[in-house]
Amino acid sequence: MASSYTKLSPIIDILVPFLLLVFITLYPFTSTAATTTNTTTKSAEEFYKFSRIRAHLKKLNKPYLKTIQSPDGDIIDCVPSHLQPAFDHPKLKGQKPLDPPERPKGHYNSTTTDHVLNENIQQWRVSGESCPEGTIPIRRTTEEDILRASSIRRFGRKTVSRVRRDSTASGHEHAVGYVMGEQYYGAKAGLNVWAPRMASSSEFSLSQIWVISGSFGDDLNTIEAGWQISPQLYGDNSPRFFTYWTTDAYQATGCYNLLCSGFVQTNNEIAIGAAISPTSTYKGHQFDISLLVWKDPKHGHWWLEFGSGLLVGYWPWWLFSHLAKHASMVQFGGEIVNSGSSGMHTATQMGSGHFSGEGFARASYFRNLEVVDWDNSLIPLNNLRLLADHPNCYDIRGGYNRPWGHYFYYGGPGRNVRCP
């Protein structure tokens, strides 16, 4: 059954403002007339706004074969894979998802002694419902989702800011490990999932892998995947699996998840943008996921794997300029937005909300950090660097051992006596 939305003729968008202009010109501006005109103008603006929202929803919410109601309120539509948003792209029209590529060689076993993993790693799977073969699960976008955004044009996109690895003034704060200086063809890590507290609905907290190329200017290319809490994007405080990409430093290209054409999903078990469950608990069980991004040496596309062998899909190589060839930098770690709206540093937490020094089952971590080399092999990192731009608010400390390879703990509470 296909989604149904009211069809509005494009002529209405032109006709309504024109008729209003005629009305204002013909009638005198008495106080009553002015009030009526203002009300009419406002009504027309609202009508125009909601007609645009409905058109955008129709573009995003594709015809589906089955709908699943998630316990957290999400609606998951099982959309035929060839109808997903990616295939709205001119270069993909009429195509179908590709078959899985060869995985990188020599990867770590992603089990751990305190690791909880089963097929129900997202809320919408708790009921046992699943999407049929030949479809992909897509979180349905609602009118409320779009209304929370700053504009329809910016919906599903990160705020544009001066993006730098060492940014200190953009409102984006990081605690990351990174490598640079070589040619990278992917990255892999295990990380535990938390539900950090948010101080403002306009802020977010995330933990992710960045695969980066280009300069930290207008030509920045990134591929990103991880978990995030973003009340403005999702309308709640649940940690959600997400992806992102851009080829121009977040200005006009790219988006979260499947909110624009680009990423091609191939998996019917994972819904990008859906809540992850369970999460880690302080001094308790740690819920740990693995993420792998790598460049298929045969076709050149960037593939994403989530968990134990679940191929989610791929970013076509031609979406990018610099990343069409390889990455020049890989980052792992946490990021928050500090809006500064209260005049003080935000109390939005990163990771578990606890500093790195507290260690296992208390602080958040990344472990088994690896990169993919030119030979499609996973290899340990060389020269891992650690950076926390606001160490009194969120910090990071790393190490190496046999079971975890290269790892680090990171995060923090945000505002505290040392972070006013």
Side-chain angles (χ1 to χ4, degrees):
M1 184 172 78
S3 305
S4 60
Y5 297 96
T6 306
K7 289 188 175 180
L8 298 169
S9 169
I11 262 186
I12 293 176
D13 292 344
I14 302 169
L15 193 56
V16 169
F18 174 73
L19 291 175
L20 278 170
L21 182 62
V22 172
F23 178 85
I24 293 167
T25 305
L26 292 177
Y27 290 89
F29 281 91
T30 63
S31 58
T32 304
T35 302
T36 303
T37 301
N38 289 337
T39 303
T40 308
T41 303
K42 187 175 181 181
S43 298
E45 289 172 351
E46 288 294 307
F47 176 80
Y48 180 66
K49 177 182 177 181
F50 281 100
S51 68
R52 290 181 63 216
I53 289 175
R54 283 192 290 270
H56 198 57
L57 286 171
K58 188 173 182 180
K59 182 180 178 182
L60 291 176
N61 294 325
K62 301 299 185 180
Y64 52 87
L65 298 183
K66 179 180 177 181
T67 293
I68 300 170
Q69 183 72 53
S70 176
D72 62 357
D74 280 357
I75 297 174
I76 305 297
D77 292 327
C78 301
V79 175
S81 58
H82 66 283
L83 297 181
Q84 63 180 289
F87 295 109
D88 290 339
H89 197 288
K91 288 191 175 183
L92 286 173
K93 277 193 179 295
Q95 296 187 32
K96 293 183 178 180
L98 296 174
D99 291 331
E102 178 188 352
R103 291 185 79 260
K105 302 175 286 287
H107 60 282
Y108 268 110
N109 185 338
S110 43
T111 59
T112 177
T113 55
D114 197 18
H115 182 67
V116 183
L117 184 62
N118 57 57
E119 64 177 9
N120 296 325
I121 52 179
Q122 290 190 303
Q123 286 277 357
W124 71 279
R125 295 295 305 276
V126 170
S127 66
E129 291 280 347
S130 61
C131 282
E133 289 294 327
T135 70
I136 63 164
I138 301 181
R139 179 183 182 269
R140 187 183 297 179
T141 302
T142 66
E143 190 175 278
E144 290 73 22
D145 290 334
I146 298 179
L147 286 171
R148 286 192 303 270
S150 59
S151 69
I152 297 173
R153 187 178 65 86
R154 294 303 307 172
F155 173 67
R157 293 180 178 171
K158 286 189 178 182
T159 53
V160 180
S161 62
R162 179 73 174 167
V163 182
R164 294 181 55 84
R165 187 182 71 253
D166 58 348
S167 62
T168 56
S170 66
H172 293 246
E173 300 181 15
H174 307 82
V176 297
Y178 66 96
V179 290
M180 59 188 299
E182 299 181 27
Q183 294 180 0
Y184 306 102
Y185 295 84
K188 185 175 189 288
L191 61 157
N192 54 352
V193 181
W194 295 84
R197 186 179 65 247
M198 310 303 299
S200 166
S201 61
S202 64
E203 298 177 346
F204 67 65
S205 181
L206 60 76
S207 296
Q208 68 172 49
I209 294 175
W210 291 260
V211 176
I212 302 170
S213 195
S215 64
F216 284 89
D218 293 344
D219 67 341
L220 182 73
N221 288 203
T222 75
I223 286 172
E224 305 169 29
W227 62 263
Q228 73 173 163
I229 293 180
S230 177
Q232 187 174 68
L233 184 59
Y234 304 107
D236 63 17
N237 292 303
S238 298
R240 294 168 176 273
F241 171 54
F242 83 97
T243 62
Y244 200 93
W245 68 275
T246 182
T247 189
D248 62 356
Y250 308 99
Q251 294 180 97
T253 62
C255 62
Y256 281 110
N257 309 330
L258 303 181
L259 296 175
C260 65
S261 58
F263 184 83
V264 180
Q265 184 163 339
T266 60
N267 190 286
N268 69 334
E269 299 177 58
I270 298 294
I272 306 176
I276 299 173
S277 178
T279 58
S280 301
T281 56
Y282 187 69
K283 298 184 181 179
H285 288 291
Q286 301 304 291
F287 182 68
D288 178 304
I289 61 174
S290 64
L291 294 170
L292 167 63
V293 176
W294 84 100
K295 199 174 201 305
D296 170 20
K298 184 176 181 180
H299 298 289
H301 306 312
W302 290 90
W303 282 78
L304 170 64
E305 181 181 275
F306 176 68
S308 301
L310 290 175
L311 275 184
V312 183
Y314 59 93
W315 292 270
W317 66 266
W318 42 257
L319 288 174
F320 306 99
S321 51
H322 301 290
L323 280 176
K325 298 177 181 177
H326 55 76
S328 57
M329 181 179 185
V330 172
Q331 281 188 185
F332 311 83
E335 177 184 356
I336 64 96
V337 166
N338 174 23
S339 63
S341 55
S342 65
M344 300 180 288
H345 192 282
T346 183
T348 284
Q349 298 174 335
M350 180 190 291
S352 68
H354 293 264
F355 285 115
S356 62
E358 293 195 38
F360 185 74
R362 293 166 173 82
S364 44
Y365 63 75
F366 273 74
R367 63 180 179 85
N368 299 129
L369 306 179
E370 299 174 286
V371 292
V372 181
D373 68 4
W374 63 272
D375 192 36
N376 199 34
S377 296
L378 278 160
I379 59 173
L381 300 188
N382 181 30
N383 194 25
L384 175 67
R385 308 178 195 184
L386 303 178
L387 170 75
D389 8 80
H390 293 73
N392 290 331
C393 311
Y394 315 101
D395 70 354
I396 184 169
R397 66 172 64 184
Y400 179 89
N401 61 36
R402 197 177 188 88
W404 277 22
H406 290 284
Y407 71 89
F408 60 80
Y409 290 102
Y410 70 101
R415 187 168 68 243
N416 65 80
V417 291
R418 295 188 297 124
C419 173

